[in-house]
Amino acid sequence: MGVDLRSVVPKMNLSSASDYTSIVAITLFVALLCACIVIGHLLEENRWMNESITALAIGLSTGVVILLTSGGTSSHLLLFSEDLFFIYLLPPIIFNAGFQVKKKQFFRNFMTITLFGAVGTLISFVIISLGAIILFKKMNMGSLELGDYLAIGAILSATDSVCTLQVLNQDETPLLYSLVFGEGVVNDATSVVLFNAVQSFDLSHMNPSIALQLIGNFLYLFVTSTLLGVAAGLLSAYIIKKLYFGRHSTDREVAIMILMAYLSYMLAELFFLSGILTVFFCGIVMSHYTWHNVTESSRVTTKHAFATLSFIAEIFIFLYVGMDALDIEKWSVVSDSPGTSVAVSSILLGLVLVGRAAFVFPLSFLSNLTRKSAHEKIGLNQQVTIWWAGLMRGAVSMALAYNQFTKEGHTQLRGNSIMITSTITVVLFSTVVFGLMTKPLVRLLLPSSKQLVRMISSEPVTPKSFIVPLLGHGQDSEADLCSPNMPRPSSLRMLLTTPSRSVHYYWRKFDDAFMRPVFGGRGFVPFVPGSPTERSLHQEQGE
């Protein structure tokens, strides 16, 4: 059976031309990533700019150049893909957030973070969804259904605190940083869980039964996703503790940590759970147990590897969002009614402002009722900063909007195009305008130097070296928490006024008695032939 080479050669040439185009696009994109890093470094001391805004600006400039060179047909180097974002870019960002978080600060403010991140997101979701239903139905928006309006609520409830965290100092304002950081992660997870829950139900005939199923599905996804992340983290700790890969190769230790973290995320997606919640809590558990079971060189490697991957993914996302803001296809569909697009964008921005304020100030008041010490309360200036920090919308909102209103980044439906372009407008406006004003606002509203000194002296400092446990704090602070002289809760009121100290005390007792002997952690030293055993080392350290 013969083969006609004349028919094969043109196909090979076409394939090679397509591959070469992809290589050119990826090369240019990598070059732009390098430019973002260099320019961001040069603007490090600028009081207005930060890395996210720099990447957005470069993306916009690149989009203009591509539009001009392509004759107005495209503004992208790469086509957007929800899979690219949710499978490859988001996991390292969220995992590193959990891996690097200061656990003492996070869990000390856990109730407030949960209030803001979960309850607050639900309040914002309801306000934005209701506002969209009431206001958009009066406008000529095209064919949008109830599920689309609820999806809008979930999409625009997802905050982007990356810009703010770049100008907040974890050592100078530990309370503020912990609240903004923790709320941002829980908020993103809650928004994605809400979005998935809305998509999984037929909302054409809404009734109390459907509403209860929606709430039940939300709680199920939240709990099971968290448990899966904890289980994956504990499994990685157990495997590394028992097998001790480091005696032969530290590369295996690093590889198993990275792959187990990524496996937890993919398992969550496989079982239709929240990969964000799963990989976040996997990061927390790995930092508490697994990271202390590996060799010293592996600790250095994993710390910087996770941080670097997260950094590159964040820059990649903002760079692409800048380019996509000029996508001519989406804007051409709504070009006949620019007034409608501007009105929708303004309404959405107003709903974001109102929805954010509707929970930050009331929930801060509730949180302050449980805080006994005056300097631990969330002051009005801090509440305003927290409200402002959550006004920015970013990559998660963009990805969810594409998932709901486009197919592989393309749409020709008028209503869908209006929602996509309006979401792009809100993301750009909030990131650039609110982001530019964040540094001056923080400097204006944050406490005076005397208050800062008092707050710093009462909080654990950020580790300056990998030798100090990444997510821990000074040895003295941990000892204080486990001290037998620490007051025990004698009533429900006392438990509510000092929840973190009492809960942490009982958790430490359980952790030391049951968890660390099985899963390792701080104080555990792997057995190496010819060296003191783990038991003798623990006895020497008084543990």
Side-chain angles (χ1 to χ4, degrees):
M1 181 177 177
V3 178
D4 188 359
L5 293 177
R6 289 175 297 179
S7 63
V8 174
V9 171
K11 293 180 181 179
M12 291 178 61
N13 291 335
L14 183 63
S15 176
S16 60
S18 176
D19 291 342
Y20 183 75
T21 303
S22 299
I23 291 172
V24 171
I26 294 173
T27 302
L28 290 174
F29 209 96
V30 172
L32 288 173
L33 288 173
C34 294
C36 288
I37 294 172
V38 172
I39 296 174
H41 170 73
L42 296 175
L43 296 175
E44 182 72 28
E45 301 301 324
N46 189 282
R47 62 174 298 185
W48 300 97
M49 298 295 289
N50 58 53
E51 220 106 34
S52 304
I53 298 176
T54 302
L56 271 176
I58 293 176
L60 283 168
S61 303
T62 306
V64 171
V65 173
I66 297 174
L67 269 178
L68 294 176
T69 55
S70 65
T73 59
S74 176
S75 64
H76 307 108
L77 288 172
L78 302 171
L79 287 178
F80 181 85
S81 168
E82 290 88 353
D83 290 341
L84 172 67
F85 177 78
F86 282 106
I87 296 180
Y88 301 110
L89 297 178
L90 194 58
I93 296 174
I94 303 301
F95 176 81
N96 187 63
F99 195 75
Q100 300 283 4
V101 68
K102 295 178 75 171
K103 295 193 299 296
K104 182 182 176 183
Q105 277 295 327
F106 181 81
F107 288 106
R108 169 180 289 179
N109 300 297
F110 186 73
M111 294 303 297
T112 305
I113 288 171
T114 304
L115 273 176
F116 285 165
V119 179
T121 303
L122 288 172
I123 294 173
S124 178
F125 165 74
V126 170
I127 290 176
I128 294 175
S129 298
L130 286 177
I133 292 172
I134 294 171
L135 298 173
F136 291 164
K137 282 190 174 181
K138 299 177 181 179
M139 304 170 65
N140 183 20
M141 289 282 296
S143 56
L144 292 179
E145 301 176 351
L146 178 61
D148 294 321
Y149 294 119
L150 293 178
I152 298 250
I155 289 167
L156 292 179
S157 295
T159 66
D160 179 48
S161 54
V162 173
C163 292
T164 304
L165 293 181
Q166 289 176 355
V167 297
L168 289 179
N169 189 298
Q170 189 167 194
D171 294 332
E172 292 180 355
T173 55
L175 172 62
L176 193 62
Y177 187 97
S178 175
L179 291 178
V180 172
F181 171 82
E183 186 228 337
V185 175
V186 177
N187 168 279
D188 283 347
T190 305
S191 299
V192 174
V193 169
L194 274 173
F195 183 82
N196 292 336
V198 166
Q199 283 195 321
S200 62
F201 282 91
D202 179 15
L203 301 173
S204 56
H205 302 89
M206 193 69 177
N207 55 56
S209 176
I210 294 292
L212 287 176
Q213 290 182 41
L214 195 64
I215 295 171
N217 189 49
F218 171 78
L219 294 175
Y220 166 77
L221 288 175
F222 212 96
V223 173
T224 51
S225 300
T226 301
L227 292 177
L228 178 59
V230 172
L234 292 177
L235 179 61
S236 70
Y238 185 80
I239 290 174
I240 289 180
K241 178 177 180 289
K242 288 298 182 183
L243 300 182
Y244 184 45
F245 294 97
R247 70 177 183 269
H248 294 310
S249 170
T250 57
D251 295 340
R252 290 175 182 154
E253 287 184 320
V254 176
I256 198 69
M257 284 188 70
I258 294 175
L259 291 175
M260 286 292 289
Y262 191 64
L263 178 63
S264 71
Y265 183 89
M266 294 311 299
L267 283 175
E269 295 297 315
L270 180 66
F271 295 119
F272 303 102
L273 303 176
S274 170
I276 291 179
L277 267 180
T278 297
V279 79
F280 176 69
F281 280 97
C282 179
I284 291 180
V285 173
M286 276 193 173
S287 72
H288 189 67
Y289 296 110
T290 314
W291 190 79
H292 295 283
N293 294 343
V294 300
T295 58
E296 193 172 276
S297 59
S298 294
R299 294 182 193 181
V300 182
T301 305
T302 51
K303 171 186 174 181
H304 294 293
F306 292 141
T308 302
L309 289 173
S310 173
F311 176 76
I312 293 174
E314 288 175 4
I315 298 300
F316 186 101
I317 291 168
F318 281 105
L319 186 62
Y320 186 87
V321 168
M323 290 185 195
D324 192 69
L326 299 174
D327 184 16
I328 201 70
E329 179 191 61
K330 302 180 186 68
W331 291 104
S332 62
V333 178
V334 299
S335 59
D336 60 332
S337 54
T340 301
S341 183
V342 171
V344 171
S345 301
S346 302
I347 290 172
L348 290 178
L349 196 59
L351 290 174
V352 168
L353 290 165
V354 174
R356 180 77 182 167
F359 74 83
V360 168
F361 299 104
L363 294 183
S364 295
F365 173 77
L366 292 177
S367 176
N368 285 339
L369 294 179
T370 66
R371 295 174 182 267
K372 196 171 183 179
S373 176
H375 75 271
E376 290 182 351
K377 293 183 182 294
I378 308 172
L380 181 60
N381 287 352
Q382 291 175 319
Q383 292 177 33
V384 172
T385 305
I386 293 170
W387 169 72
W388 188 270
L391 293 178
M392 283 172 273
R393 297 296 180 264
V396 174
S397 294
M398 290 289 295
L400 294 180
Y402 275 110
N403 189 290
Q404 178 71 21
F405 298 110
T406 71
K407 183 177 181 181
E408 296 181 354
H410 300 284
T411 181
Q412 292 294 333
L413 298 176
R414 185 172 183 276
N416 289 357
S417 294
I418 289 177
M419 294 317 307
I420 284 290
T421 53
S422 299
T423 303
I424 291 172
T425 303
V426 170
V427 168
L428 285 177
F429 184 88
S430 62
T431 302
V432 175
V433 176
F434 297 154
L436 285 174
M437 296 175 64
T438 298
K439 273 189 179 181
L441 184 72
V442 169
R443 291 180 179 178
L444 178 66
L445 295 179
L446 285 187
S448 64
S449 57
K450 291 183 179 179
Q451 290 174 306
L452 282 177
V453 170
R454 184 170 67 250
M455 290 176 68
I456 294 172
S457 64
S458 65
E459 302 292 341
V461 298
T462 303
K464 301 299 182 185
S465 166
F466 71 89
I467 299 174
V468 181
L470 245 185
L471 307 176
H473 33 79
Q475 297 287 342
D476 54 344
S477 59
E478 184 170 315
D480 290 342
L481 283 170
C482 300
S483 171
N485 297 324
M486 190 193 74
R488 314 288 175 80
S490 56
S491 65
L492 179 61
R493 179 178 178 81
M494 184 176 178
L495 179 63
L496 290 175
T497 54
T498 56
S500 60
R501 291 182 65 85
S502 54
V503 171
H504 189 88
Y505 170 78
Y506 288 111
W507 160 249
R508 293 297 303 158
K509 290 188 68 175
F510 174 78
D511 193 27
D512 291 337
F514 299 102
M515 300 297 287
R516 292 191 183 188
V518 177
F519 300 105
R522 181 183 302 174
F524 169 74
V525 178
F527 175 79
V528 181
S531 67
T533 63
E534 174 187 346
R535 176 180 296 180
S536 64
L537 279 174
H538 282 200
Q539 289 173 348
E540 291 171 11
Q541 296 170 358
E543 295 184 357

